[in-house]
Amino acid sequence: MRKFLDGVYRVFGKLAEVGSDKYLHMFVGLVVSMLSCKALHALGCLLIFALIPAFIVMVAKESVDKYYRKEPFDWLDVSAGVLGAIVGVFLFLL
């Protein structure tokens, strides 16, 4: 039991190290992919294409950060958004 609890604490410790910005990117990616899945399902297309709009939105957001807010382009934010999009596709399939 002690090893299990130590493992749980390690997992939550790693999650706590991730910046809250990444969670917001994941949420936006999830929402964009769910909306895209709804539209693609109505059109009878493959749901994997729902990852494309999420990727475009994430890259556009990071580009705005880089060129207008003078912040560095962060590929980890883009990957967090795409991860949220993947979760959104799987949730839509449920």
Side-chain angles (χ1 to χ4, degrees):
M1 184 68 169
R2 183 175 173 93
K3 285 188 176 195
F4 173 74
L5 289 176
D6 288 340
V8 170
Y9 280 118
R10 269 185 266 141
V11 168
F12 282 113
K14 292 291 183 187
L15 287 175
E17 290 175 5
V18 176
S20 63
D21 183 46
K22 305 298 186 265
Y23 294 119
L24 293 173
H25 284 275
M26 285 183 68
F27 180 72
V28 170
L30 185 135
V31 170
V32 169
S33 71
M34 293 287 278
L35 293 172
S36 300
C37 282
K38 186 72 171 168
L40 289 170
H41 183 68
L43 295 173
C45 297
L46 294 174
L47 297 181
I48 195 71
F49 292 125
L51 299 179
I52 296 170
F55 178 77
I56 291 171
V57 167
M58 292 297 122
V59 169
K61 193 268 182 205
E62 288 303 311
S63 296
V64 167
D65 283 351
K66 179 177 180 161
Y67 294 111
Y68 291 111
R69 298 178 70 192
K70 305 297 184 206
E71 296 176 1
F73 193 95
D74 191 2
W75 281 105
L76 290 177
D77 285 347
V78 174
S79 61
V82 172
L83 179 64
I86 292 169
V87 170
V89 170
F90 281 118
L91 286 176
F92 187 82
L93 291 173
L94 292 177

